[in-house]
Amino acid sequence: MCQKSKSFYKTFNNFGTMVSMLTRAELRVLSVLHGPTTLKELSGQLGVSRSRLSIIARSLERKGLIERQKDGKEILLIPSSSKPLELFHELLTRFPHVDSISLLAGRKLKVIGGMAVEEPRPVWEISLRSNVNRYTVHHVLTELMERLIVGKNEKGYFIAERFSLVKEFADEYFRLQNSIKAKSFSHDSVILWNGVNEFILATRSFKGLAVDSFQLTGLSRFSSYGLSVISGGVYHYYWPSREITLEEVIVHTLAVGAGARELLYVVTILKVRGFNVERLRRLAIKFDVLGVVDDIIEYLGGKEKGYPFPSRDEVEELCRQYFGGPKNDNEGKIG
């Protein structure tokens, strides 16, 4: 990759991490922008300087929420046709008594993204899914409960059904931001797993093991652990991460697909290399593959599993092929 491209990706990832959240000022602009409006007109309407508004508009454009066009000597601001913007205006209309600007600004949106509607989750899981520390999660949940947007029972916290639109907005917003990041990495990128400021993409372009905060993952990354797998011309990358663990590669592989081929290679690499059970299970919860991960752990512990799990002979044959001989069940240390 040329130096210019490397510099672009570094700048993009650093910038994307900083600006992916919505600010109150940005949401205020979106709340009054219903059609094409000049920068001058909007500046007067909001009582914001044109220079300040120009900065906000550029940020919203990068986030795919507005378009900017030159109109003679004026700059025209145009709402995008994106799903998040549509949902935001629906929120303003359906819940006029709710301060939606305050509700959706900053890390509150990330916490909402890590929650589920009518499905209780403990604080540690919300923190894991939202990529926000537990102290912040507690603080945000307290505020959301006071607004009656979030409920609580013995199993954890959940978004009230009445406010499911808030969760839908968060999901669509992060999906849009992730899509913009993915397309900047490779024009043919397709997002296969979507999270809060993180995703797994598929592309036919091999970029190397790591490009700044993009890490090669899935079966193609197994070569880093001594097991080369034919990619079939499709490569998977996870964003954002400066380094990647075996447990992450395993969970990413299963999140993309947990068929017979994937299970054969996953079981083999875990049998040989060993893994941290607690770390693997926590990641499996985040990537919604806990059921298959628990089945794999049981299989490695000696419990028989039917299709699509491989036979013991298939696993031993793969061990001989890549690692020079059969491995017994105690060689791969499970910690």
Side-chain angles (χ1 to χ4, degrees):
M1 178 178 292
C2 68
Q3 191 62 38
K4 184 177 179 180
S5 296
K6 289 183 179 179
S7 175
F8 169 78
Y9 285 125
K10 182 176 182 180
T11 300
F12 175 84
N13 281 299
N14 289 340
F15 182 79
T17 300
M18 291 187 291
V19 304
S20 58
M21 293 299 93
L22 285 164
T23 67
R24 293 186 184 218
E26 290 171 343
L27 288 163
R28 188 178 173 215
V29 168
L30 293 177
S31 70
V32 299
L33 189 63
H34 299 287
T37 308
T38 65
L39 192 69
K40 181 179 179 180
E41 291 171 337
L42 200 59
S43 173
Q45 183 178 352
L46 293 172
V48 178
S49 70
R50 293 179 68 175
S51 60
R52 172 61 179 155
L53 183 57
S54 180
I55 293 172
I56 295 171
R58 288 180 183 276
S59 177
L60 288 172
E61 183 180 36
R62 285 188 290 263
K63 293 172 181 175
L65 297 173
I66 71 169
E67 298 175 11
R68 295 185 316 126
Q69 290 183 6
K70 192 78 170 176
D71 184 23
K73 294 183 178 181
E74 283 291 336
I75 299 296
L76 198 62
L77 306 182
I78 306 171
S80 74
S81 58
S82 65
K83 184 67 173 178
L85 189 55
E86 177 187 329
L87 292 171
F88 175 62
H89 285 294
E90 185 178 345
L91 271 170
L92 294 174
T93 302
R94 287 180 56 182
F95 304 105
H97 62 287
V98 174
D99 183 359
S100 296
I101 291 177
S102 173
L103 172 65
L104 303 175
R107 294 182 179 179
K108 286 194 280 291
L109 190 60
K110 294 182 72 174
V111 173
I112 291 169
M115 300 182 70
V117 177
E118 296 294 331
E119 179 187 325
R121 289 174 178 171
V123 169
W124 69 263
E125 184 178 341
I126 296 172
S127 174
L128 183 70
R129 289 177 178 269
S130 64
N131 294 307
V132 174
N133 65 61
R134 295 192 191 188
Y135 174 82
T136 300
V137 170
H138 274 293
H139 179 75
V140 171
L141 289 175
T142 298
E143 179 180 339
L144 295 179
M145 288 181 68
E146 290 174 353
R147 297 186 184 204
L148 304 180
I149 294 170
V150 165
K152 179 185 178 183
N153 61 24
E154 67 281 358
K155 293 183 179 180
Y157 298 84
F158 56 89
I159 297 172
E161 176 64 37
R162 180 166 178 258
F163 291 99
S164 61
L165 190 61
V166 175
K167 168 64 174 174
E168 186 180 356
F169 170 80
D171 289 346
E172 290 295 336
Y173 175 75
F174 290 119
R175 184 174 289 109
L176 175 61
Q177 300 314 300
N178 289 344
S179 177
I180 293 171
K181 292 180 179 69
K183 291 299 182 183
S184 78
F185 179 71
S186 181
H187 67 90
D188 69 340
S189 293
V190 175
I191 292 181
L192 301 182
W193 180 87
N194 192 78
V196 176
N197 277 5
E198 61 180 331
F199 57 86
I200 300 171
L201 64 80
T203 175
R204 293 188 176 276
S205 304
F206 177 67
K207 304 287 187 177
L209 292 181
V211 181
D212 293 316
S213 295
F214 286 90
Q215 290 281 342
L216 181 70
T217 191
L219 289 179
S220 297
R221 192 61 186 250
F222 279 34
S223 60
S224 296
Y225 305 96
L227 205 167
S228 297
V229 182
I230 298 175
S231 69
V234 175
Y235 305 92
H236 300 110
Y237 284 86
Y238 169 72
W239 185 92
S241 180
R242 292 291 179 177
E243 58 184 21
I244 198 165
T245 66
L246 173 61
E247 288 83 3
E248 287 175 308
V249 172
I250 294 302
V251 169
H252 296 165
T253 300
L254 298 173
V256 169
R261 180 170 179 260
E262 288 83 7
L263 286 173
L264 171 60
Y265 286 109
V266 164
V267 166
T268 302
I269 202 71
L270 290 179
K271 180 182 177 68
V272 173
R273 295 300 180 191
F275 60 98
N276 183 295
V277 173
E278 182 180 355
R279 184 184 304 132
L280 186 67
R281 294 191 80 252
R282 285 176 67 85
L283 285 167
I285 290 172
K286 182 176 188 175
F287 287 84
D288 298 309
V289 291
L290 182 60
V292 67
V293 163
D294 280 343
D295 283 343
I296 289 169
I297 293 171
E298 289 179 349
Y299 178 92
L300 291 169
K303 186 174 181 179
E304 292 303 320
K305 299 284 183 179
Y307 184 84
F309 274 80
S311 68
R312 303 288 174 178
D313 288 342
E314 288 177 301
V315 174
E316 295 303 333
E317 175 58 32
L318 206 57
C319 286
R320 279 191 292 270
Q321 183 179 346
Y322 285 95
F323 302 103
K327 304 289 180 179
N328 62 54
D329 288 334
N330 296 319
E331 286 192 52
K333 184 177 181 182
I334 301 177

